[in-house]
Amino acid sequence: MKKIVILAVLLCSSFQLMAQSASCERPQFGERPKLVVGIVVDQMRWDYLSRYYDKFGGGGFRRLITQGYSFDNCLINYLPTVTAIGHTSVYTGTTPAFHGICGNNFFIDGRKTYCTSDSTVNPVGSDNRKAGCMSPVNLLSTTIGDQLRLHTDFKSKVIGVSYKERAAILPAGHAANAAYWLDTKNRKFITSTYYMKELPLWVKDYNRQLSENKEFKRLGKEVGSYPLTGHITTDMAIAAMKGEQLGRGGTTDMLCISYSQTDVIGHRWGTRGERTDEAYLELDKDLERLLKALDEQVGSGNYLLFLTADHAAAHNHQFMQDNNLYGGPWLSADVKDGLEKYIAKQLGNSQPVVLGINNYRFFLDHQGIAKQGLQLQRVKEVVMDFLRQCPNIAFVVDFEKAATSPVPAFLRERILCGYNFHRSGDIIVCAEPGYYEFGSWSSPEGTDHGKWNPYDAHIPLLFYGWKVPQGASPDEVYITDIAPTVCSLLHIQQPNATIGTTLTFK
């Protein structure tokens, strides 16, 4: 009897090893999943996976963790860590230095620019030009979806869906079939003429359902601050999957989904409390619904899914201080006012020389400086002298001299990876740990992000489904490794500015 038990145990162990070995096999050339699903959870800290693990149900986050593969030490390798940059870096495998999306808002050679604003296109599905005149016009590199479309002679379908237009457009890329985002004023999903002239019938049908949603009517433009946005995004993603028959054709399709309510809620209510708890527990339910729909539409094991974040978030500064932890607000508006006065006193200029301060970066008016007979380098020196006198600033760096600046090597590399000569400004500051830029995005109870610190730059990275084994890795990996990994599994060329490394499931 004892020998039989031992033999049974050995056989079970052998079968487990064989199954594990089979699941770890790399795909053969020409072998691909029917659908790739990319999910970005806006402002999700890595530690939320463990913080809420016991409260998650079995079919959402916990399913991805227990049946998929987690890279537990995924970091963002550029500055600043903000939404548009994060979404773009996930899908391009590169950083602002190459993909050119240097923030949600930035200046291109002195011209203020919103990352996806495009005056050459018109809204489709709405007359709201502010919401609808959008495209990937400012994106300089290709994405996973672009490479997939190229590889299949544009037979693959690539769709982006999100509450935020930048979170739908930038992941989907240049050659996407469509990107859809929410026009909260008119309570419907819209797109632009960059993609099409008229909304498909399935989008119109879903918009009719939205128009009858009583909770949406009640919340109106504030809907982004509530979990309902996640429910709506999930419904739209499932509608897109069914309406476009994603994963049902002869080539691999791609669906890019971004959940934005977590970011809006975090900015408003912070990383702690009932609002944030509710946001992630409701998102867990949305993920369960999405996975169930994928199983039904495409088939379990026939789709490759990854989940990550565009950035994380700092704990609210008052919360930190109340618990005797170091931290506080960094007030860029107050800095700008004092800075202009200091420059005028030192250089005697009559007109302002600072175009703006955005995500710890200072954009100088090069043309205005020249017209006033000032030297750009001298203006930079005066600006940096002022900033070094400001409280709670750890480093002040001239972008053009970052390679030789006396800052830690890892920080220097992140600064350089985030620097695009035409779009990133002139000077960047690094606030002390726990201090974050306190401005229009953050309420007194909320939070912000943008820095190199782990609370902003440590994000989840989960792979699940086709050819993905169960497991986890503690190795340090980067947000830019996601795109080359997906492309490697698909046996297609990486996006054309990729700097990341292909990850292996050990």
Side-chain angles (χ1 to χ4, degrees):
M1 185 66 183
K2 185 177 180 180
K3 290 181 179 179
I4 294 174
V5 172
I6 293 173
L7 180 61
V9 171
L10 289 173
L11 284 171
C12 287
S13 299
S14 176
F15 287 139
Q16 285 181 333
L17 287 171
M18 288 170 63
Q20 189 176 36
S21 175
S23 66
C24 291
E25 288 180 4
R26 300 288 293 178
Q28 300 297 313
F29 279 104
E31 187 182 13
R32 296 187 182 91
K34 294 181 179 180
L35 179 66
V36 178
V37 181
I39 300 174
V40 177
V41 182
D42 205 322
Q43 203 186 114
M44 184 173 181
R45 293 167 56 106
W46 170 78
D47 60 354
Y48 286 164
L49 290 176
S50 58
R51 177 174 174 79
Y52 297 113
Y53 185 81
D54 292 339
K55 297 180 181 179
F56 287 147
F61 278 111
R62 191 180 290 192
R63 177 179 171 181
L64 299 181
I65 295 167
T66 58
Q67 299 180 33
Y69 198 95
S70 175
F71 289 95
D72 293 335
N73 196 21
C74 183
L75 303 176
I76 295 174
N77 54 345
Y78 54 78
L79 284 173
T81 51
V82 296
T83 296
I85 303 177
H87 281 82
T88 308
S89 297
V90 167
Y91 286 89
T92 62
T94 193
T95 70
F98 298 102
H99 63 56
I101 301 300
C102 296
N104 301 335
N105 297 279
F106 49 94
F107 292 83
I108 300 179
D109 292 331
R111 174 174 53 86
K112 191 171 184 179
T113 303
Y114 178 68
C115 58
T116 53
S117 181
D118 186 352
S119 61
T120 69
V121 301
N122 292 308
V124 172
S126 170
D127 59 0
N128 187 348
R129 292 189 59 82
K130 183 178 180 181
C133 294
M134 301 285 169
S135 84
V137 64
N138 294 312
L139 176 61
L140 302 180
S141 62
T142 59
T143 63
I144 301 170
D146 290 336
Q147 297 301 140
L148 182 60
R149 295 266 289 156
L150 280 165
H151 192 86
T152 61
D153 291 328
F154 302 95
K155 296 183 180 68
S156 293
K157 290 183 179 180
V158 177
I159 308 288
V161 173
S162 182
Y163 163 82
K164 296 179 181 179
E165 73 287 306
R166 58 185 179 269
I169 292 169
L170 297 171
H174 295 279
N177 299 82
Y180 301 103
W181 56 94
L182 200 58
D183 175 1
T184 56
K185 179 181 178 182
N186 294 299
R187 298 198 308 276
K188 59 175 69 174
F189 276 95
I190 64 172
T191 188
S192 79
T193 52
Y194 178 87
Y195 303 98
M196 62 191 71
K197 294 181 180 179
E198 186 177 358
L199 290 176
L201 181 61
W202 65 265
V203 179
K204 292 179 180 179
D205 288 341
Y206 181 63
N207 279 337
R208 276 192 287 272
Q209 295 178 39
L210 272 185
S211 68
E212 298 170 0
N213 189 306
K214 294 180 180 179
E215 188 179 1
F216 197 174
K217 287 181 180 179
R218 179 178 64 83
L219 295 175
K221 292 183 179 180
E222 293 295 308
V223 67
S225 298
Y226 296 89
L228 176 62
T229 298
H231 307 336
I232 290 171
T233 302
T234 303
D235 290 340
M236 181 62 177
I238 293 172
M241 188 170 27
K242 294 179 178 179
E244 296 292 343
Q245 290 292 290
L246 299 181
R248 301 294 292 272
T251 58
T252 300
D253 297 321
M254 186 166 192
L255 179 60
C256 310
I257 309 167
S258 178
Y259 288 102
S260 305
Q261 74 280 2
T262 45
D263 182 71
V264 182
I265 289 168
H267 281 294
R268 187 166 177 178
W269 287 293
T271 61
R272 288 288 188 271
E274 294 180 3
R275 297 283 191 173
T276 300
D277 294 349
E278 180 189 28
Y280 281 92
L281 296 182
E282 287 298 308
L283 175 58
D284 183 54
K285 297 174 185 176
D286 286 326
L287 289 176
E288 183 170 3
R289 285 198 303 117
L290 177 66
L291 289 168
K292 184 179 180 181
L294 285 165
D295 290 342
E296 294 173 353
Q297 171 80 10
V298 186
S300 179
N302 290 328
Y303 57 90
L304 171 66
L305 181 148
F306 67 84
L307 181 147
T308 188
D310 54 345
H311 55 76
H315 293 309
N316 176 265
H317 65 83
Q318 191 60 55
F319 167 82
M320 295 286 280
Q321 292 170 5
D322 290 345
N323 288 278
N324 297 320
L325 295 167
Y326 194 70
W330 186 74
L331 304 173
S332 59
D334 292 350
V335 170
K336 186 176 187 296
D337 184 55
L339 175 58
E340 289 287 12
K341 294 177 181 178
Y342 183 82
I343 296 170
K345 182 178 179 180
Q346 297 296 316
L347 302 178
N349 55 297
S350 58
Q351 298 297 319
V353 298
V354 181
L355 286 174
I357 304 173
N358 182 273
N359 299 129
Y360 307 95
R361 298 167 302 178
F362 290 74
F363 294 79
L364 301 182
D365 183 359
H366 292 205
Q367 292 184 356
I369 289 170
K371 286 180 180 179
Q372 294 184 76
L374 303 174
Q375 296 296 317
L376 177 60
Q377 190 55 45
R378 176 58 183 148
V379 174
K380 287 184 182 180
E381 290 170 358
V382 172
V383 171
M384 294 174 72
D385 286 342
F386 174 85
L387 293 172
R388 290 190 181 103
Q389 299 173 44
C390 293
N392 309 118
I393 297 297
F395 298 102
V396 181
V397 178
D398 179 344
F399 271 123
E400 288 192 326
K401 298 182 178 180
T404 57
S405 293
V407 299
F410 82 91
L411 186 56
R412 187 162 60 240
E413 182 177 345
R414 282 161 173 74
I415 291 170
L416 288 168
C417 283
Y419 176 57
N420 181 288
F421 175 76
H422 296 283
R423 303 182 176 195
S424 294
D426 301 273
I427 294 164
I428 187 169
V429 300
C430 295
E432 292 173 345
Y435 279 80
Y436 57 83
E437 192 167 5
F438 189 72
S440 59
W441 272 104
S442 304
S443 73
E445 298 79 26
T447 185
D448 212 327
H449 49 85
K451 296 172 61 184
W452 67 268
N453 307 74
Y455 50 76
D456 279 354
H458 188 185
I459 55 176
L461 177 54
L462 303 171
F463 282 88
Y464 174 83
W466 185 81
K467 297 296 181 181
V468 177
Q470 191 282 326
S473 170
D475 296 344
E476 184 172 301
V477 302
Y478 302 102
I479 191 172
T480 49
D481 296 333
I482 298 170
T485 300
V486 173
C487 289
S488 176
L489 289 168
L490 298 181
H491 285 124
I492 64 174
Q493 186 57 269
Q494 300 172 354
N496 62 11
T498 292
I499 63 169
T501 301
T502 300
L503 302 175
T504 56
F505 306 115
K506 298 178 181 178

